[in-house]
Amino acid sequence: MRGLEKARELYESRGRELIHSLFPEYEDRIAVGLAGHGSECFGYDDELSEDHDFEEGFCLWIDEDTDREIGLELSRAYRQLKGGCSASSALAEQSRGVRRIGDFYRRYTGCAGAPDSWQAWLYLPSHALAEATNGQVWRDGQGLFSSIRREILTGMPEDVRKKRLAAKLITMAQAGQYNYGRCISHGEEGSAMLAMAEFVNAACAAAFLLNRRHMPYYKWQFRALGELEKLGELREPLEFLLTGENDSAGQKLKGELAEDICARVVKELRAQGLTCGSWDYLEPHALNLMEHIENPQIRALHVMEE
């Protein structure tokens, strides 16, 4: 049984009744679920996950007024319900139990809710936004926690999405369509692999942006990529670019695969009305995308800035 299932079972079997019996007047003010840091919150955990930074249990998210009124009592009740210890490293941070809603989101966005400016949306790392919105919410009578969650999931300004996407497209062009082959020609095989790694990472990020999804931490990047509705089929060829043989035949195949991946990305760009060109090289698509950004401050940024 995975962490999400264990957490839900604990809540349904004991946690729900605990809240109802001890805090009946506050039931609708306590959001319950599991989200945040940890592979279990993405549903990607297995037996190996439990030996490092793994913490069983669920989350109870409350606002500041509720925290002042019952926060200590609720925390004490949760600890008594939960018992036991977690396998945590020095880098781990307790993320289960009672948390103020603002504190939970501040860890990922730097403020008590969703990003509050286009600058925050542009410069916050995608994996932070992914952690802020993963997992499941099982109850939220007040709706505050879930409303912030929805805003982070769907509220990225379109101009910011275009800007981030343009940066990924030009990186794909320079690293995969140009520099990979140049490095091979110069006999710089190590540099060629670095270029290909840059291409792969940018292609993954572009796929998530085209799906309007936040890309998780690199450890789960390919797993999540394969689940995307659009371009999810790119997982296998992108993985091959990193893991395939690097003899002359392999290098030739990787160059061809990179071009094929770029063609699939262009097809999706055109399907979404994000480019009007038919170029094979991605750089003009990136520049064309920049021209369609309405916010003059964002449009004036360097194409590679993000």
Side-chain angles (χ1 to χ4, degrees):
M1 184 182 294
R2 290 182 175 175
L4 267 171
E5 297 169 320
K6 291 179 180 179
R8 183 67 182 268
E9 181 180 66
L10 177 62
Y11 166 67
E12 294 292 352
S13 64
R14 300 171 60 194
R16 183 186 292 275
E17 178 57 30
L18 178 144
I19 295 171
H20 178 70
S21 62
L22 297 181
F23 309 98
E25 298 179 2
Y26 292 89
E27 284 187 89
D28 287 342
R29 293 169 61 178
I30 302 172
V32 184
L34 182 63
H37 182 70
S39 58
E40 65 273 21
C41 295
F42 286 102
Y44 296 157
D45 56 307
D46 54 24
E47 299 80 14
L48 294 176
S49 304
E50 299 189 14
D51 69 352
H52 181 75
D53 292 356
F54 184 84
E55 183 183 350
E56 291 186 359
F58 53 87
C59 304
L60 301 102
W61 298 290
I62 56 178
D63 61 25
E64 291 187 5
D65 289 339
T66 305
D67 183 40
R68 282 193 295 269
E69 294 166 21
I70 64 164
L72 288 175
E73 293 85 353
L74 184 60
S75 296
R76 187 178 300 115
Y78 174 81
R79 288 195 299 271
Q80 291 174 347
L81 168 75
K82 169 81 166 46
C85 301
S86 61
S88 299
S89 73
L91 296 177
E93 176 182 323
Q94 182 176 346
S95 55
R96 309 294 177 255
V98 180
R99 301 281 302 280
R100 285 181 294 191
I101 293 171
D103 290 345
F104 174 84
Y105 285 114
R106 191 174 288 107
R107 175 179 180 179
Y108 302 107
T109 68
C111 57
D116 55 6
S117 66
W118 68 259
Q119 290 93 339
W121 279 109
L122 182 62
Y123 298 120
L124 277 170
S126 181
H127 67 79
L129 300 175
E131 284 197 2
T133 54
N134 62 12
Q136 298 174 358
V137 179
W138 308 317
R139 69 179 297 169
D140 186 7
Q142 192 178 35
L144 176 59
F145 183 86
S146 297
S147 66
I148 298 172
R149 179 182 173 91
R150 284 192 298 272
E151 187 175 355
I152 297 174
L153 279 168
T154 64
M156 178 182 288
E158 181 64 3
D159 278 350
V160 171
R161 185 175 81 108
K162 289 177 180 177
K163 177 67 196 72
R164 297 186 78 154
L165 184 55
K168 300 307 178 185
L169 295 178
I170 205 161
T171 297
M172 290 174 67
Q174 291 188 355
Q177 292 184 288
Y178 181 77
N179 281 327
Y180 175 73
R182 295 283 289 180
C183 290
I184 293 295
S185 298
H186 285 297
E188 297 286 349
E189 294 188 5
S191 295
M193 287 309 300
L194 287 175
M196 189 56 76
E198 290 285 329
F199 171 83
V200 169
N201 197 52
C204 288
F208 277 89
L209 286 164
L210 287 166
N211 280 270
R212 291 181 168 82
R213 290 271 304 276
H214 303 305
M215 185 171 71
Y217 180 56
Y218 67 84
K219 184 177 180 180
W220 305 117
Q221 188 168 303
F222 284 112
R223 179 98 172 248
L225 175 66
E227 297 171 353
L228 294 179
E229 179 182 354
K230 303 166 186 173
L231 301 174
E233 74 277 3
L234 294 183
R235 173 180 176 170
E236 184 175 345
L238 284 170
E239 282 189 311
F240 177 81
L241 293 179
L242 297 179
T243 62
E245 292 293 332
N246 285 315
D247 56 17
S248 58
Q251 291 167 352
K252 182 175 183 296
L253 177 57
K254 288 181 178 183
E256 293 170 351
L257 273 178
E259 290 294 345
D260 179 67
I261 289 166
C262 291
R264 297 194 212 184
V265 168
V266 169
K267 183 178 179 180
E268 184 57 36
L269 288 167
R270 292 178 64 85
Q272 295 189 25
L274 295 172
T275 184
C276 57
S278 56
W279 312 283
D280 294 329
Y281 193 49
L282 285 181
E283 183 174 319
H285 293 284
L287 299 176
N288 183 251
L289 193 54
M290 290 290 294
E291 292 173 359
H292 290 85
I293 293 174
E294 295 181 3
N295 184 311
Q297 292 177 286
I298 301 176
R299 190 171 61 247
L301 295 173
H302 190 279
V303 64
M304 300 189 75
E305 183 172 349
E306 59 172 333

